[in-house]
Amino acid sequence: MTVTWYQTVVDAHEPRELARFWCRVLDWQVLYEDDEEVVIGRDAAVLPGLCFIAVPESKTVKNRLHIDLSPDDRDAEVDRILALGARRADVGQGDDVTWVTLADPEGNEFCVLRPKKTLLD
């Protein structure tokens, strides 16, 4: 049996707005949208994607799953993403870590890492 990571689903109050934030962060595009769901990706044929689903409740606790981004220049990317509407987040990380924790406009945490070339860097 073979399995492929298809997409990650994110609950959102405003799926369209959150999807467009992540499109700007990742340089992806909206592939599908209606009032309840927005799917984004690099291209419709490239997996995985992100799917934003409308939910009534707000995020209340730290994420149990989050995205890690690996840019060429961590500090420049943090500045760019903050300008897009992210904010710095404190999830208990110390001052000596090599990543920066941010939160998207709905409070979902994600990390901007130092540059990495493999999954073992």
Side-chain angles (χ1 to χ4, degrees), residues 14-24 30 38 40 52:
E14 300 291 337
R16 285 185 167 112
E17 290 177 26
L18 196 55
R20 282 170 175 68
F21 166 82
W22 280 103
C23 280
R24 292 187 304 270
V30 172
V38 181
I40 70 170
F52 299 88

Side-chain angles (χ1 to χ4, degrees), residues 47-59:
L47 301 177
L50 288 172
C51 177
F52 299 88
I53 301 289
V55 298
E57 65 273 359
S58 297
K59 179 183 173 306

Side-chain angles (χ1 to χ4, degrees), residues 73-110:
D73 180 329
R74 185 197 67 194
D75 295 337
E77 191 63 15
V78 166
D79 289 343
R80 184 184 77 84
I81 295 170
L82 288 170
L84 293 174
R87 61 178 172 74
R88 292 185 181 270
D90 182 354
V91 293
Q93 71 275 21
D95 293 333
D96 59 341
V97 297
T98 60
W99 64 86
V100 176
T101 305
L102 301 177
D104 71 18
E106 290 204 12
N108 300 300
E109 298 92 7
F110 62 98

Side-chain angles (χ1 to χ4, degrees), residues 30-51:
V30 172
L31 302 171
Y32 172 82
E33 73 178 283
D34 64 25
D35 290 338
E36 300 297 317
E37 173 183 28
V38 181
V39 176
I40 70 170
R42 178 163 294 151
D43 180 272
V46 178
L47 301 177
L50 288 172
C51 177

